[in-house]
């Protein structure tokens, strides 16, 4: 999470749920170092420490210990990461934060490509079920595209499938200009959906 989401009460709820997080510390972040771990400074790591929060309200919201990692990136910027994961290597924690942008791009892509015109229910569970069903559909189409080695975009494949839901034509034939072999109506690459 980006440092704009640095809310210790929320982070503690994630910690209690058994999740781990990686976020950046704000510039005015205050803490007390409990333990320092050795780091290889040639990798860009400056320090890897176990810390406690010392500001009263922050300490009340997150009473557990945290891990603080300072890292200097290739551009010379010093970044300070906070995590509750004490086991991962420090460079992995830095890499996880760097990859958060890919996660944001993934969700942006989903917003642009999942055509959920309306929700069939208003409860949190109904919305989650519909969104996860749409995500699962896209993942299945991506698997089909990869397995059948198709050059079509996912969007094009979904358009074809949406207008031919009850066709008995094999997927490979439906999604390509190639004809299936005359001898065997079941292509080896054809996926069994039902």
């Amino acid at each position: 999470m980006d440092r704009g989401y640095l809310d210790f009460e929320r982070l503690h709820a994630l910690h209690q749920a058994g999740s781990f997080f990686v976020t950046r510390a704000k510039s005015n972040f205050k803490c007390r170092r409990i333990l320092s771990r050795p780091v290889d400074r040639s990798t860009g790591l400056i320090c890897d420490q176990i810390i406690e929060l010392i500001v009263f309200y922050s300490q009340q919201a997150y009473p557990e210990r945290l891990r603080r990692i300072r890292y200097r990136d290739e551009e010379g910027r010093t970044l300070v990461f906070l995590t509750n994961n004490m086991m991962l290597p420090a460079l992995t924690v830095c890499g996880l934060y760097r990859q958060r942008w890919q996660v944001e791009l993934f969700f942006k892509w989903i917003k642009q490509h999942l055509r959920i015109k309306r929700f069939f229910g208003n409860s949190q569970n109904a919305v989650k079920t519909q969104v996860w069903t749409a995500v699962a559909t896209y993942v299945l189409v991506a698997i089909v595209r990869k397995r059948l080695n198709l050059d079509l975009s996912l969007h094009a494949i979904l358009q074809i499938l949406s207008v031919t839901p009850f066709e008995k034509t094999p997927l490979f034939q439906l999604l390509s200009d190639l004809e299936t072999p005359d001898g065997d109506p079941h292509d080896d690459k054809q996926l069994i959906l039902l």
Side-chain angles (χ1 to χ4, degrees):
M1 293 181 270
D2 207 353
R3 64 180 156 195
Y5 298 102
L6 188 58
D7 174 4
F8 288 112
E9 189 172 337
R10 184 170 154 209
L11 293 177
H12 194 250
L14 288 173
H15 177 74
Q16 288 180 316
S19 299
F20 78 88
F21 56 85
V22 177
T23 187
R24 280 185 58 197
K26 293 186 177 182
S27 59
N28 62 350
F29 178 71
K30 304 227 183 300
C31 64
R32 179 175 55 240
R33 180 177 49 90
I34 304 298
L35 172 74
S36 288
R37 297 177 174 182
V39 294
D40 180 7
R41 289 182 167 258
S42 66
T43 61
L45 290 171
I46 299 170
C47 70
D48 182 2
Q49 302 169 334
I50 307 298
I51 60 163
E52 285 182 332
L53 302 176
I54 57 173
V55 175
F56 178 77
Y57 292 111
S58 298
Q59 191 177 40
Q60 293 297 313
Y62 199 100
E64 311 285 332
R65 292 182 175 177
L66 284 168
R67 184 175 176 195
R68 177 177 66 175
I69 299 168
R70 284 183 193 264
Y71 176 75
R72 180 167 287 120
D73 67 5
E74 300 84 24
E75 299 170 9
R77 294 178 298 182
T78 299
L79 305 170
V80 180
F81 301 111
L82 299 175
T83 183
N84 63 335
N85 190 312
M86 306 295 177
M87 305 305 289
L88 286 176
L91 278 176
T92 302
V93 172
C94 298
L96 284 172
Y97 184 80
R98 185 175 30 225
Q99 292 301 316
R100 87 189 191 296
W101 183 244
Q102 296 302 318
V103 173
E104 289 181 29
L105 289 177
F106 171 72
F107 282 108
K108 180 180 176 186
W109 180 87
I110 283 178
K111 266 175 60 174
Q112 291 173 344
H113 291 87
L114 290 185
R115 304 284 183 198
I116 300 175
K117 294 180 181 175
R118 68 183 184 94
F119 288 102
F120 295 109
N122 296 328
S123 71
Q124 182 179 2
N125 190 41
V127 171
K128 282 183 178 180
T129 300
Q130 191 170 348
V131 169
W132 280 113
T133 302
V135 169
T137 302
Y138 262 79
V139 170
L140 288 172
V141 169
I143 291 169
V144 167
R145 180 177 179 236
K146 177 91 171 152
R147 288 233 180 127
L148 297 179
N149 199 20
L150 298 172
D151 291 329
L152 294 171
S153 70
L154 288 175
H155 182 68
I157 294 171
L158 282 168
Q159 293 289 50
I160 292 168
L161 293 176
S162 70
V163 295
T164 57
F166 300 109
E167 291 283 329
K168 292 187 177 184
T169 309
L171 281 177
F172 186 72
Q173 185 178 359
L174 186 67
L175 298 173
S176 68
D177 296 329
L178 303 174
E179 295 293 323
T180 56
D182 293 333
D184 185 13
H186 300 292
D187 189 357
D188 289 340
K189 292 184 178 179
Q190 174 65 37
L191 298 176
I192 299 170
L193 296 178
L194 301 173

